[in-house]
Amino acid sequence: MFWSPDCVENIVMGINGQFPGPNIRARAGDTVHVELTNKLYTEGVVIHWHGIRQFGSPWADGTASISQCAINPGETFIYQFKVERAGTYFYHGHYGMQRSAGLYGSLIVNLPEGEREPFHYDREFSLLLSDWWHQSAHEQEVALASNPIRWINEPQSVLINGRGQHNCSLAARFSSSSKAVAQCHFRGDEQCAPKILSVLPNKTYRIRLACTTALSSLNFAIGGHKMVVVEADGNYVQPFATDDLDIYSGETYSVLVTTDQDPTLNYWVSVGVRGRRPNTPPALTILNYRTTAAIELPKSPPPVTPQWNDYARSVALSKKVLSRMGTPKPPAKYDRRIILLNSQNKVDGFTKWAVNNVSLTLPSTPYLGSIRYGLMKAFDQRSPPDDYPADYNINEPPSNPNATIRNTVYRFDFNTTIDVILQNANALSVNLSEMHPWHLHGHDFWVLGYGEGKFTDKDAKGFNLKNPPLRNTAVVFPYGWTALRFVADNPGVWSFHCHIEPHIHMGMAVVFAEGVELVRNVPAEALTCGLTAKMFLNEDSKAWHG
Amino acid sequence: MFWSPDCVENIVMGINGQFPGPNIRARAGDTVHVELTNKLYTEGVVIHWHGIRQFGSPWADGTASISQCAINPGETFIYQFKVERAGTYFYHGHYGMQRSAGLYGSLIVNLPEGEREPFHYDREFSLLLSDWWHQSAHEQEVALASNPIRWINEPQSVLINGRGQHNCSLAARFSSSSKAVAQCHFRGDEQCAPKILSVLPNKTYRIRLACTTALSSLNFAIGGHKMVVVEADGNYVQPFATDDLDIYSGETYSVLVTTDQDPTLNYWVSVGVRGRRPNTPPALTILNYRTTAAIELPKSPPPVTPQWNDYARSVALSKKVLSRMGTPKPPAKYDRRIILLNSQNKVDGFTKWAVNNVSLTLPSTPYLGSIRYGLMKAFDQRSPPDDYPADYNINEPPSNPNATIRNTVYRFDFNTTIDVILQNANALSVNLSEMHPWHLHGHDFWVLGYGEGKFTDKDAKGFNLKNPPLRNTAVVFPYGWTALRFVADNPGVWSFHCHIEPHIHMGMAVVFAEGVELVRNVPAEALTCGLTAKMFLNEDSKAWHG
């Protein structure tokens, strides 16, 4: 539908006539029932419930070609799953680049009735953060898959709850840009008018942050106010205070903000870009003490986003995220360790991202069906590599940039403990290594550590096994490594991928499978495509030839 | 893929890296075997073989929701069908607005070996005519379905074999435009460089014309040369000479051109827009006598396209198309007559086109499957009306503009003779009635007559039963009627629709079904969606719950 997310009209993928999609709120222990009807004209669609474990319902994970067939235009698919744990989540498209097209919304799970959070707050806000391009997601898909690649460049805008300002700035008067920036003027009912955070003095607010950006790493700050981080990816963390917070695509946080500042002033809420040479102005809105007119802009400039490439600062912030007492601890030992080299490559001249030299292209039959029913022809049955060559130089562009396109699967023995070491490297250009926020479906993992350079066995000695944060998304920093541990205890097939959508489109993903033989009662609707469909048709060929 | 159809880069839907898709050439009696692999990221796809009867292979007609399920990304569907009759055909997408997106190509069927055409020619050219917008087809789909409607306006360019010139004109020096028009300069290898028709003097050339425009009615002319029309929609016609030829979306023609003019000169080939207030420059290329340098432009201006709204001229031209001796004659009488009022309407504020007040929206289960297997819930089982209210005033906007959205089907007794009277009317705006070229799948029809005003029984007395042309596409002119007759002798489900793609998108189509109980051996792949898929799954539910 036509929409003006950043005051420039464009087409967004909406839900029920809304952009972003409706907020979904449930209570821990609830079964969520979503009927998704595809009203697109020619495109299939799926929705992934980001951060929800889907234990016992792997077909409801909403990953096209992995957990289900895309839902055809005109058809309805029912997502039914249990939300086990209170926390801040979100949902989004997981097919092509439909997340970039705007298919996302907020999913909040409250505590069960009678239970209380381990921290106090009076009220809450929920901010869904995203980035937005004026070039359509369809065109981006073609551009990225062109030879030579046409890179999509930085987004035009950052959005807070689907709202940004491209043609004007709320903070125009503080702009040091040589280009004159116009002051925004809103009646208030514009689709791009910022939603003001209206607060009372001397209260504590929980601000839920969810980052569903296609590309950008963000930094969140509120002028004049400290925040205390209390939740990450649906898990409580050891509270820590900070002036600003990096948030990567796929991550969620809750921060507590106490309104203890001068209530006669307004304050900027700023969401700036980090990790890439910034070319997008920060998203802004206002924290308004209700005693003050909301239309009055803050008198001082918005918080300055930290230097985009100050990665030491980013690493230090990530290391502050530790699990709160009472969080389950990781097993002391792993059963299998896989090391995943993140590299940018070429395949027949096309630019790709790869993991251990394999660039993933998904098959047309969902793995959940093909593995469950033993359809060997549905995908490449070889095992993808558990490591990369010892002599690989991570500090330079790959000496042989060629990668392979495959659709192989890592199969884990059920209930074993898996260590994944994400190993970053130099991209195709010299002196360039990018951040990649990796997101795991179906599980949380413990983040055992971050390190610089090439991971070696010795690094494992420094792993944090005491209070590592339990998360579903973790960044691997430029030229560094990140160590994760999880238990393969959720029967199903699960995507593990860089959450940057253009990178997924270019192959930066792997597939994990465990205990698939234990999966029962896959709804037929989830597998009505490719070889799974064919299998069932062949078994009943008589009817077809009646 | 990125492409520059009219020298402005855009995204087109290509086939095998080509735009338009590859030329397909077969011989009458051949079985054509096409393996179509969908390499789109999230969109389904089908291809319709326009003008091919598909007798015995109704599932190969390539109409999404009618003859088959759309082919999912990554999957391959095999179209296999017999081409019975030599002639000029084409193929194109028949899902959403994928024809507008550029999904089309040429399909020529030669005579069986040893047989000869009933006219002489030395060589031939094949020209596929289309129109092109800089706005993407995806955006057009959303625009047309917005409330209020955002009309897509006239195309930026007319294309000959996928080539047009937007930023410059071949005939710049003759331009009377107040805007200075730049002269085109080509090296020759540009995607938008015109393909020159290179001829020898004193030969006869067969020029095959196929019109796959999304919106535009066209007029074809060659400076200084008369042409003789010999074929229309794959049927021979009584040859007639003309200076120019109207050609509507969905039509094909063959014309013979004798190169009897001064061979030291070049001549314009011009394709201009008619029937709508013209806002698109004509497509141009050059007829080059090989004795002359091809780069020399003609010294006189291109043929002038006849006045856009001189409908009397258009009707006169259409009436010249009569069947050649030996063409099968229509049955003397009809068994059932349906009168189809063409009207523009509103449904809940949305602008629609309707037929007898029903605006068609296709179901998610293909009719061929749902009718064949008696799945009553797949679509509205009521019969759509065979007529419209007697007091309807076709000369004014509808007094009650509200139409109904339905997916009903006209069911014909097998082997009966059906008369269809297309009745045009005023659109929603006063003093506006548009031309609609109606195309029938699975059959040719005889065009028994064209008339002005409201069709009455008396008009039937003037029907041409002697030598009416046999065609698959016929126009209903503004405020007029067009009478068609065909025999419902092809078991299957067939679309009958205005060939203007935005009009189809807005509901201007009906569905015909006949002898579906006789259909055998529908390939399972054609019906793996919606309720047909469900039916087969239910019949083998054990496997699903293994």
Side-chain angles (χ1 to χ4, degrees), chain B residues 215-281:
Chain B
L215 176 66
S216 312
S217 300
L218 300 176
N219 181 273
F220 175 82
I222 304 178
H225 291 72
K226 271 214 177 303
M227 53 187 126
V228 175
V229 181
V230 293
E231 181 213 348
D233 299 357
N235 292 287
Y236 297 129
V237 300
Q238 203 168 290
F240 67 95
T242 183
D243 290 322
D244 62 87
L245 183 65
D246 285 341
I247 178 164
Y248 301 96
S249 182
E251 291 187 338
T252 70
Y253 282 104
S254 284
V255 300
L256 302 181
V257 175
T258 300
T259 49
D260 53 6
Q261 299 299 304
D262 181 350
T264 68
L265 297 177
N266 282 330
Y267 300 87
W268 291 113
V269 176
S270 172
V271 183
V273 173
R274 295 202 67 206
R276 307 183 65 89
R277 208 172 283 277
N279 208 358
T280 311

Side-chain angles (χ1 to χ4, degrees), chain B residues 440-491:
Chain B
L440 178 58
H441 291 230
H443 312 74
D444 284 343
F445 47 66
W446 291 274
V447 186
L448 302 186
Y450 301 92
E452 285 173 33
K454 233 175 176 173
F455 175 85
T456 66
D457 268 344
K458 273 186 249 165
D459 291 314
K461 290 180 187 146
F463 282 173
N464 173 13
L465 298 176
K466 211 186 77 192
N467 58 356
L470 200 49
R471 310 200 61 160
N472 60 54
T473 304
V475 180
V476 59
F477 292 98
Y479 301 108
W481 56 262
T482 298
L484 316 173
R485 180 167 295 177
F486 67 96
V487 181
D489 59 358
N490 191 356

Side-chain angles (χ1 to χ4, degrees), chain A residues 102-333:
Chain A
L103 190 58
Y104 43 74
S106 174
L107 170 59
I108 309 286
V109 180
N110 290 335
L111 278 174
E113 196 131 21
E115 286 190 31
R116 300 183 68 171
E117 307 278 358
F119 43 81
H120 163 80
Y121 59 98
D122 298 294
R123 287 201 54 189
E124 66 173 66
F125 294 104
S126 178
L127 305 184
L128 187 62
L129 310 178
S130 58
D131 45 7
W132 184 250
W133 280 255
H134 295 164
Q135 186 185 35
S136 76
H138 288 122
E139 195 168 335
Q140 291 185 27
E141 286 175 337
V142 176
L144 293 169
S146 291
N147 180 5
I149 188 175
R150 303 192 186 192
W151 178 243
I152 58 168
N153 297 319
E154 298 304 310
Q156 271 65 59
S157 301
V158 176
L159 309 180
I160 302 175
N161 288 339
R163 291 155 182 267
Q165 296 82 43
H166 179 70
N167 285 337
C168 64
S169 171
L170 288 174
R173 81 173 92 167
F174 303 111
S175 174
S176 58
S177 164
S178 56
K179 285 193 284 182
V181 176
Q183 179 72 48
C184 296
H185 291 287
F186 292 110
R187 294 184 312 269
D189 60 347
E190 294 88 353
Q191 290 168 343
C192 62
K195 284 283 189 198
I196 287 165
L197 309 191
S198 183
V199 296
L200 292 171
N202 299 313
K203 300 280 180 191
T204 297
Y205 289 85
R206 178 181 190 167
I207 301 181
R208 297 176 183 270
L209 300 168
C211 182
T212 185
T213 50
L215 176 66
S216 312
S217 301
L218 301 176
N219 181 274
F220 175 81
I222 303 179
H225 291 73
K226 271 214 177 302
M227 52 187 126
V228 175
V229 180
V230 293
E231 182 214 347
D233 298 359
N235 293 286
Y236 297 129
V237 301
Q238 203 168 290
F240 66 96
T242 182
D243 289 323
D244 63 86
L245 183 65
D246 285 342
I247 178 163
Y248 301 97
S249 181
E251 292 187 336
T252 70
Y253 283 103
S254 283
V255 298
L256 302 182
V257 175
T258 300
T259 49
D260 52 6
Q261 299 299 305
D262 181 349
T264 68
L265 298 176
N266 282 329
Y267 300 87
W268 291 111
V269 176
S270 171
V271 184
V273 173
R274 297 202 66 206
R276 307 183 65 89
R277 210 172 282 276
N279 208 357
T280 312
L284 295 173
T285 187
I286 291 166
L287 183 81
N288 166 246
Y289 282 70
R290 279 187 217 161
T291 42
T292 309
I295 47 161
E296 269 181 45
L297 293 174
K299 301 211 181 337
S300 40
V304 175
T305 303
Q307 192 65 20
W308 70 274
N309 56 357
D310 184 354
Y311 293 115
R313 192 182 194 283
S314 302
V315 175
L317 235 164
S318 286
K319 286 183 174 172
K320 283 191 184 170
V321 181
L322 296 168
S323 69
R324 190 176 185 104
M325 204 122 63
T327 306
K329 289 210 188 319
K333 291 190 172 156

Side-chain angles (χ1 to χ4, degrees), chain B residues 84-104:
Chain B
E84 297 173 330
R85 192 184 53 196
T88 305
Y89 307 100
F90 60 106
Y91 62 86
H92 60 79
H94 213 295
Y95 191 34
M97 286 178 55
Q98 294 184 341
R99 177 155 55 92
S100 295
L103 188 59
Y104 43 73

